Amino acid sequence: RHVADFQLCIASVIENGSSDCLAQDLHLQAQQLAERLKCDSVVSEISAGPGTVNFTINRELLAKTVLQQVWKDGSEYGVKSELFSAVPRQKAVIEFSSPNIAKKFHIGHLRSTIVGNFIANLKAALGHEVVRINYLGDWGMQFGLLGVGFQSFGNQEKLKSSPLQHLFEVYVQINKAAEDENTKKLAKDFFRKLEEHDEQTLSIWKQFRDLSIEEYIRIYKRLGVHFDEYSGESFYQEKAQEVLKMLEDKGLLQKTIKGTGVVDLSEKKDLSTVSTVMRSDGTSLYITRQFLIISFRDLAAAIDRMNKHSWDTMIYVTDKSQSNHFQHLFQILKLMGYDWAERCQHVSFGLIQGMKTRRGEVIFLEDVLNEVRSRMLQNMTSTKTTKALQDAVETAEKVGLAALIIQDFRGLLSSDYQFSWDRALQSRGDTGVFLQYTHARLRSLEQMHGNAELTDVNVACLLEPDAISVLQHLLRYDEVLYRSSQDLQPKHIVSYLLTLSHLAAVAHKTLPVKGSAPDVAQARLCLFHAARSVLANGMKLLGITPVTQM
């Protein structure tokens, strides 16, 4: 039995419908209404269900309208929907990824990177102006330690060839001696010189930073991610002092008995909720976001971005352990008189558990990318259907990345999840590999039979239930984009694309192009082209590059 295209719930349109009406009354009213409504050139059938009136659209009109729309709008299909006509185009600043230089680029940063990239892609696709900012942890006492460590254990050659790995090794070595009084003193001196802009010290720090960013850019390129701005805590030294002065001038900075500087965030102003902003020795706190400590730099960065970009919304993408940090940050900005703080948003995500490579614990993101690529390559070469690909390594990388992204985006971002290589890399089921496989299959269909032409399609050839299911699903794409644009959750798009792939796989089996009459073949080719086009659009929003063969 076919599924109706649209449904009207009777309870929603009659007075006191939901509360007072009995189910049988609603059913009766639905029947009466259905009998009074007339079919026309658009609606071909009207029937009553339990408390609902169901509408079926003229099948040929459905096919024609959907195919024409997908064809005409291309990569903007769904985005041009009237659902978005009332949404104002805005400027969004998105801060994401933000690793600490010389510390391992861990899996939390992977989530921040792919989630931030998705939000930026979605906003840009919907016509908003987007500024992608990477706010690096590139300042603070750890650089004193690192500087001293490099003087003892550093190697210029290694620093140039693999900066992240080498700085991490140096940091681990010097950390063993971090409790030693002499090391502490040397680290403090090094960092003091850095703060005083001593040229030699600054040039060592700058080399660490520049080489690290170069390597990050190379890794981001593998992820298909780019940034408009590499910012960092180091940019806001002087500006942090201005923020301190503003807090003092506005009488917002209070000293506790221990001499720590705090900002009172409690409703009754009784210091029951405070945010620590300054140590008792007067130094501005370096950013340790876990501990409800707001550094002046974070405040300075937010104010500076407003001055520089005059944005409409600013989104921070980090793990959920930092939720209180951002709540406090936004509250302090508001107390300072910045009403735009209400337009700041923290998008938080849970933790990935159990992600290990064959060699054991994951240290660098690059290890994960290499691992997923090699596992995928192995899977591809072991299956008999895999053709000898020209660029097998590159294809394995794109498919592997799709596997990582889909496993990550399937649930609510705020949930923690258990990572599993086997589950992520399955070629059947709800995985990124399945999406890529479907896309490649539909693409090879087009290559085999030549590209479809919409002009001479006979839509009467697309009335089979499996064709209608695909068309109905394509019709809903804009609603899914709208939902994701409202709550910034990628899961709506993921589940839509997985369903689309399953429906396309069924249609691919039951509606062969090969051996069918020319007009039937042409119509089916058009249908599969539309499905592939929408699949590719959705995958690109998620940060996945669709492959054309596999």
Side-chain angles (χ1 to χ4, degrees), residues 44-142:
S44 62
E45 193 185 318
I46 301 169
S47 62
T52 60
V53 179
N54 305 321
F55 301 90
T56 303
I57 300 298
N58 172 324
R59 291 296 171 233
E60 290 186 23
L61 182 73
L62 172 74
K64 194 175 160 191
T65 311
V66 171
L67 294 179
Q68 273 180 346
Q69 204 66 51
V70 174
W71 211 268
K72 186 168 129 267
D73 293 347
S75 62
E76 293 185 317
Y77 176 68
V79 171
K80 287 184 155 182
S81 159
E82 63 272 20
L83 280 178
F84 296 106
S85 59
V87 179
R89 301 284 172 266
Q90 294 187 321
K91 185 170 191 179
V93 166
I94 303 171
E95 180 201 295
F96 64 105
S97 196
S98 308
N100 295 310
I101 286 182
K103 290 194 179 170
K104 59 186 184 181
F105 192 137
H106 60 75
I107 289 310
H109 291 125
L110 170 67
R111 277 206 101 172
S112 172
T113 307
I114 61 179
V115 172
N117 187 48
F118 158 70
I119 294 171
N121 289 346
L122 182 63
K123 293 250 177 216
L126 294 172
H128 303 291
E129 189 184 339
V130 174
V131 182
R132 302 159 185 249
I133 294 182
N134 199 339
Y135 184 65
L136 302 170
D138 63 355
W139 201 251
M141 240 357 251
Q142 77 264 27

Side-chain angles (χ1 to χ4, degrees), residues 439-500:
H439 184 273
R441 231 172 129 190
L442 294 175
R443 186 74 191 99
S444 74
L445 194 66
E446 291 176 46
Q447 284 165 331
M448 213 183 325
H449 298 283
N451 284 333
E453 285 302 326
L454 189 66
T455 42
D456 50 0
V457 165
N458 178 0
V459 287
C461 300
L462 290 176
L463 302 181
E464 298 88 350
D466 292 337
I468 298 297
S469 297
V470 173
L471 291 163
Q472 284 175 320
H473 197 63
L474 292 175
L475 191 59
R476 294 191 190 107
Y477 184 55
D478 61 342
E479 294 171 23
V480 176
L481 291 183
Y482 187 75
R483 278 188 74 183
S484 279
S485 74
Q486 293 301 99
D487 64 8
L488 301 182
Q489 295 285 338
K491 72 185 183 106
H492 312 303
I493 296 174
V494 170
S495 95
Y496 175 88
L497 296 179
L498 289 166
T499 304
L500 178 60

Side-chain angles (χ1 to χ4, degrees), residues 492-520:
H492 312 303
I493 296 174
V494 170
S495 95
Y496 175 88
L497 296 179
L498 289 166
T499 304
L500 178 60
S501 295
H502 286 296
L503 292 172
V506 171
H508 187 271
K509 264 200 203 93
T510 62
L511 308 172
V513 173
K514 196 177 174 182
S516 300
D519 58 343
V520 175

Side-chain angles (χ1 to χ4, degrees), residues 189-202:
D189 288 349
F190 188 95
F191 188 59
R192 198 196 64 247
K193 282 184 185 166
L194 204 52
E195 288 200 296
E196 289 165 359
H197 299 287
D198 170 67
E199 266 181 43
Q200 195 190 350
T201 319
L202 262 179

